[in-house]
Amino acid sequence: MVQTEAQQSGSLMRAASPLPGARKALEVRNLRVGFPTEEGMVQAVGGIDLEIERGRTLALVGESGCGKSVTGRALMALQPKHAEVSGEIWLTPGRQEAQLDRRLRASSENGSFNLLQFKPGGKEMRHVRGGLISMIFQEPMTALSPLHTIGDQIMENILLHRTKNRKEARSIALEMMERVGIGNAQRRLDQYPHEFSGGMRQRAMIAMALSCQPALLIADEPTTALDVTIQAQVLELMKQLQHELGMAILFITHDLGVVAETADEVAVMYLGRIVERAPVRELFRNPKHPYTKGLMRSIPRIGGVGGRLASIEGTVPLPLNRPPMCGFYERCSERIEGVCNRQDVPESDAGPGHKVRCFLYSEPEKKGDNPHE
Amino acid sequence: MIRYIAKRTLVMIPVSLAVSMIVFFIIQLPPGDFISGYAAKMSASGEVMDAQALAKLRENYGLDRPWYTQYFSWIWGILTSGDFGYSLSYNRPVSEIIGQYMGITVIISLATMIFTYVVAIPIGILSAVKKYSFFDYFATGVGFLGMATPNFLFAIILMFLSFQWWGDPMLGLFSPEFADAPWTAAKWMDLLKHMIIPVIVIGTSNTCELIRVMRGQMLDEMSKPHIVTARAKGLPEWKILLKYSMRAAVNPVISTIGWSLTTIFTGSTITAIVLNLPTQGPIMHRALLSQDMYLAGSWLLLMAIFTLIGTLLSDILLAWLDPRIRLDRKEA
Ligand SMILES: Nc1ncnc2c1ncn2[C@@H]1O[C@H](COP(=O)(O)OP(=O)(O)OP(=O)(O)O)[C@@H](O)[C@H]1O
Ligand code: SF4
Ligand SMILES: [Mg+2]
């Protein structure tokens, strides 16, 4: 299905030469994304911290509408123009300085840069998009243009970031197609998306996203639209390519079965906040937050794969004009009245690499009123 | 693709024949014929024709035979010798009348279409890209006005203004001094000048509608998921607009050029009458009223053929522009 090491030509291996020492590909500090509306600010992402190490996968899980996609898009500055974004997004491409764009080099601090200093559509950000961070989407049917060939769309990425030479771009595209297991790649490059099956399209998307060897791949529910066997193949492919290319992956999903199979770390998101994060085994063995526990209970025991997050009672409130309080308060069976609904919940340690945001594991502030939101 | 076009062209032959027969049948359907209308007109002016003279006339023109016999001898004439029959009201061969008016009709229609597309596509696209800007509101406002104003009223207003400002309502297509003059540069200029009002009048409502279609298409295309994909690759915004949104938005508009050609042929009759244009519309109108069946039949037949060709043209453009349709066709 996928080419063996010996068959791969050298060109793909060229770009990535990791910087020694820099382990974290991505560090997000207090990221907030708000959408001003007529009724007030919809705080889709309400101050989150994330870290992903090179070559590792962080799964971002949570119910529909909790802010996963908004987070993923904000990392590439793909939010709508009117959105308000604040915080810090530190990217460490892990490449030799010389391989970076001149503008990016100028704003780097020890090989890292804060992406939020760049204008969303500006030149620097456009070097980051597709070059250092790539994204694959849920719907392989609509994420490709129906009027352009697959080859054209993959080569576009390569021509923007790796070479100006069309012939070279085509041969890189060809190599990527073979690498993601698309047979007869030479002919396939000249075909259109509608001639590809859903699984093949998602493979082509992966080929496109990885053609410039990004430091970070954001995969927003990449397998949700595929049927189960194809889903497993695509996940396997992503894992293998991650092993070969060493990129970090932010894997957005609401399927805990997929999380168990792919993630190294897990961050559980609820109403725009990360309520719990831990290494994957730790989280499955020892969930702390009432919301996470609810999620775990909702996984079907037998079979394992395919658990959807739907069976917790109540619905997610809209993150609109919320006072400082626990976001899960309305649905929580362990809530402490007068505490959980009075102040913002701080994050506390719950074991090695395990953090949780719940008053069951931390002392509330004595006064009750938390001055900062 | 070539096989597909050949196939479609072949299919057009029986379809045009069937259309022509239906057309012919419908024209002769109302009671009476050209002769009875003619007799009525004569008697109104005091000249009474006896039944024998009328019968003689009918026999001369073949009007006494059943309609299908008339049809077959007519169509036979067209197929074998390009003879479209004889116009009773003009007292001239139909092909001569067609020759005289068809050129002008085609010129005006083409000019109108070019006007429509050249004006509407850029305005529509700009309105979408600058959504809710002053420009967008302005274009939308003018567009609605243009669609709401009936063409004949619009024609009269423009003629009045032209008369006020230049002392010439620009009636017809030529100034009197050029009407029978040979084709010189000055005559062409005169024609161009006279075409301004008709083109604007006939083209405006289509233009306004096309602006709205174009704007909607463009907004739709700009919000497609694959636009986000393109953005995520680091493509600059203007390139995304050109390569993806505009390309896709223009597609359906370009590919319906063939169809709109036929609607311009058929849709401008009243305007042409008001503006006194020697196009086919008013001729057709008169031919139908007087049951001048060979003339009317020939016009309608040509129109049907134009429609068929226009449709084929659209289909070819559509296939050429859209790979999904193209590949479908390949297999067909
Ligand atoms: N452009 C926008 N304007 C206003 N609100 C928005 C906008 N985009 C997203 N939101 C809101 O932000 C919240 C988070 O949306 P998001 O798409 O990130 O959810 P998600 O976690 O990805 O859900 P799903 O699993 O359904 O994809 C939702 O409440 C949504 O209504
Ligand atoms: S902080 Fe309180 S309401 Fe929130 S999850 Fe913990 S116990 Fe439940
Ligand atoms: Mg989402």
Side-chain angles (χ1 to χ4, degrees):
Chain A
M1 181 178 88
V2 171
Q3 303 284 297
T4 65
E5 295 278 321
Q7 283 172 291
Q8 289 150 10
S9 77
S11 69
L12 268 169
M13 290 293 127
R14 200 201 58 206
S17 37
L19 219 63
R23 296 286 305 146
K24 291 199 179 90
L26 180 78
E27 264 190 270
V28 175
R29 296 275 159 261
N30 196 26
L31 177 69
R32 297 169 151 269
V33 184
F35 299 100
T37 63
E38 276 174 18
E39 295 101 89
M41 182 73 88
V42 174
Q43 200 66 52
V45 178
I48 64 169
D49 299 333
L50 292 173
E51 291 172 5
I52 316 177
E53 290 183 5
R54 267 211 329 269
R56 310 271 281 177
T57 300
L58 172 74
L60 187 59
V61 284
E63 272 162 292
S64 186
C66 70
K68 306 182 295 291
S69 297
V70 171
T71 304
R73 283 170 186 227
L75 298 182
M76 294 180 86
L78 289 173
Q79 69 278 356
K81 274 210 186 77
H82 65 278
E84 288 177 15
V85 183
S86 66
E88 291 167 35
I89 301 170
W90 289 93
L91 181 72
T92 311
R95 292 187 189 168
Q96 301 296 345
E97 294 251 317
Q99 293 176 336
L100 289 175
D101 176 66
R102 181 175 45 81
R103 289 162 193 276
L104 288 178
R105 228 181 299 155
S107 47
S108 109
E109 289 173 25
N110 298 323
S112 310
F113 16 76
N114 179 6
L115 298 182
L116 281 185
Q117 70 185 302
F118 301 137
K119 241 178 70 205
K123 279 219 168 79
E124 294 90 350
M125 203 59 220
R126 281 193 273 116
H127 277 288
V128 172
R129 292 177 183 166
L132 300 178
I133 307 181
S134 286
M135 192 151 177
I136 49 183
F137 301 89
Q138 173 172 350
E139 287 289 340
M141 298 297 174
T142 54
L144 290 162
S145 160
L147 300 180
H148 300 83
T149 60
I150 297 280
D152 179 275
Q153 296 183 65
I154 297 179
M155 280 164 63
E156 185 172 55
N157 210 31
I158 300 167
L159 287 166
L160 278 167
H161 302 290
R162 273 182 78 171
T163 172
K164 291 272 168 272
N165 182 326
R166 290 194 69 83
K167 258 181 84 180
E168 195 185 337
R170 192 177 163 96
S171 78
I172 296 174
L174 198 68
E175 198 183 324
M176 281 314 298
M177 292 275 279
E178 282 166 359
R179 205 143 184 190
V180 297
I182 297 179
N184 205 352
Q186 191 64 262
R187 197 171 64 86
R188 285 291 202 161
L189 274 183
D190 296 319
Q191 290 188 333
Y192 290 88
H194 71 274
E195 298 171 82
F196 278 51
S197 67
M200 282 296 162
R201 273 185 232 192
Q202 201 59 303
R203 282 171 194 266
M205 274 301 283
I206 293 173
M208 184 162 89
L210 298 186
S211 61
C212 296
Q213 304 195 318
L216 172 67
L217 174 69
I218 301 170
D220 193 345
E221 314 206 22
T223 56
T224 310
L226 306 176
D227 56 42
V228 182
T229 47
I230 309 289
Q231 187 173 328
Q233 287 172 10
V234 169
L235 290 178
E236 186 53 42
L237 172 68
M238 286 177 65
K239 229 188 281 182
Q240 185 188 339
L241 289 170
Q242 179 181 38
H243 189 70
E244 290 167 15
L245 304 175
M247 75 271 182
I249 298 181
L250 176 64
F251 198 107
I252 297 174
T253 180
H254 49 230
D255 187 334
L256 279 178
V258 170
V259 171
E261 273 181 31
T262 55
D264 299 301
E265 252 85 31
V266 187
V268 180
M269 195 165 186
Y270 188 84
L271 202 65
R273 305 295 294 268
I274 305 290
V275 295
E276 184 163 10
R277 44 182 176 150
V280 63
R281 293 178 71 105
E282 165 74 6
L283 190 90
F284 276 87
R285 269 199 211 138
N286 196 10
K288 295 277 201 245
H289 197 280
Y291 177 61
T292 316
K293 288 189 214 159
L295 291 185
M296 296 299 168
R297 274 195 299 275
S298 73
I299 309 178
R301 276 293 122 189
I302 307 153
V305 183
R308 292 292 165 94
L309 320 180
S311 45
I312 301 175
E313 289 212 353
T315 50
V316 194
L318 196 70
L320 181 69
N321 303 328
R322 274 185 78 84
M325 63 185 279
C326 173
F328 194 53
Y329 181 78
E330 288 90 340
R331 295 164 76 187
C332 181
S333 54
E334 301 172 57
R335 65 181 172 220
I336 314 163
E337 269 194 67
V339 176
C340 302
N341 57 342
R342 283 290 144 75
Q343 50 192 300
D344 196 35
V345 197
E347 196 172 59
S348 51
D349 284 313
H354 193 160
K355 298 203 188 300
V356 61
R357 203 180 275 276
C358 171
F359 280 123
L360 296 175
Y361 307 96
S362 72
E363 283 299 308
E365 274 181 40
K366 273 278 155 313
K367 267 286 171 190
D369 277 329
N370 193 332
H372 65 262
E373 196 194 340
Chain B
M1 194 68 207
I2 290 172
R3 265 191 54 200
Y4 168 75
I5 295 174
K7 216 164 90 181
R8 286 286 305 267
T9 314
L10 281 180
V11 170
M12 272 168 57
I13 295 171
V15 174
S16 348
L17 283 178
V19 167
S20 71
M21 192 185 302
I22 294 167
V23 160
F24 203 89
F25 173 73
I26 291 173
I27 293 174
Q28 61 78 46
L29 210 52
D33 55 19
F34 179 79
I35 302 297
S36 49
Y38 180 72
K41 230 189 285 167
M42 294 307 259
S43 64
S45 61
E47 211 173 309
V48 183
M49 299 179 78
D50 59 49
Q52 214 178 344
L54 288 180
K56 184 95 183 94
L57 268 176
R58 284 211 172 87
E59 204 189 314
N60 280 351
Y61 292 120
L63 292 178
D64 53 340
R65 292 174 293 162
W67 73 271
Y68 45 84
T69 323
Q70 294 179 39
Y71 169 75
F72 279 114
S73 63
W74 175 64
I75 206 79
W76 186 249
I78 295 176
L79 291 179
T80 52
S81 55
D83 174 13
F84 283 85
Y86 199 79
S87 162
L88 302 165
S89 51
Y90 285 82
N91 247 327
R92 282 160 64 197
V94 168
S95 47
E96 229 173 67
I97 304 171
I98 292 177
Q100 183 179 349
Y101 295 105
M102 192 53 88
I104 294 293
T105 304
V106 168
I107 288 177
I108 291 197
S109 296
L110 284 182
T112 308
M113 269 181 63
I114 292 168
F115 167 84
T116 303
Y117 284 93
V118 166
V119 171
I121 292 177
I123 293 182
I125 289 175
L126 213 60
S127 285
V129 174
K130 301 263 170 228
K131 193 168 86 162
Y132 303 141
S133 66
F134 171 76
F135 177 84
D136 185 24
Y137 285 121
F138 184 75
T140 309
V142 172
F144 274 114
L145 255 180
M147 279 203 307
T149 316
N151 273 355
F152 73 91
L153 188 65
F154 197 29
I156 291 168
I157 292 173
L158 285 184
M159 267 156 38
F160 173 74
L161 290 179
S162 169
F163 184 71
Q164 282 283 305
W165 291 334
W166 296 293
D168 180 356
M170 301 276 176
L171 270 172
L173 273 186
F174 300 102
S175 308
E177 66 267 30
F178 285 113
D180 294 314
W183 284 99
T184 57
K187 182 166 177 173
W188 276 108
M189 278 312 294
D190 188 61
L191 173 65
L192 282 182
K193 234 168 53 190
H194 278 85
M195 266 169 53
I196 296 175
I197 292 181
V199 163
I200 292 179
V201 169
I202 301 173
T204 295
S205 66
N206 277 332
T207 307
C208 296
E209 184 155 351
L210 193 60
I211 288 176
R212 284 196 21 214
V213 170
M214 203 58 229
R215 179 180 182 274
Q217 283 285 340
M218 191 68 189
L219 284 178
D220 191 37
E221 288 300 331
M222 281 162 61
S223 63
K224 289 263 169 86
H226 68 253
I227 300 297
V228 182
T229 309
R231 209 169 275 145
K233 286 182 201 173
L235 208 61
E237 216 54 37
W238 63 268
K239 244 188 158 157
I240 297 176
L241 279 179
L242 278 179
K243 180 174 176 181
Y244 293 105
S245 323
M246 250 160 83
R247 166 75 214 286
V250 161
N251 247 9
V253 172
I254 297 290
S255 53
T256 49
I257 276 187
W259 292 316
S260 57
L261 190 68
T262 57
T263 59
I264 287 177
F265 269 121
T266 52
S268 52
T269 304
I270 294 182
T271 314
I273 293 171
V274 173
L275 289 169
N276 194 20
L277 298 179
T279 57
Q280 50 87 13
I283 308 290
M284 182 65 221
H285 183 73
R286 220 176 308 149
L288 277 176
L289 283 184
S290 61
Q291 293 197 42
D292 185 351
M293 49 205 304
Y294 295 119
L295 181 56
S298 300
W299 275 125
L300 288 176
L301 175 60
L302 283 178
M303 207 96 84
I305 291 175
F306 266 118
T307 309
L308 288 172
I309 291 176
T311 311
L312 178 63
L313 198 70
S314 281
D315 285 2
I316 292 172
L317 282 172
L318 205 64
W320 178 52
L321 289 170
D322 193 326
R324 285 163 296 187
I325 294 169
R326 181 159 68 236
L327 289 153
D328 257 21
R329 296 287 156 77
K330 222 189 243 163
E331 276 130 39

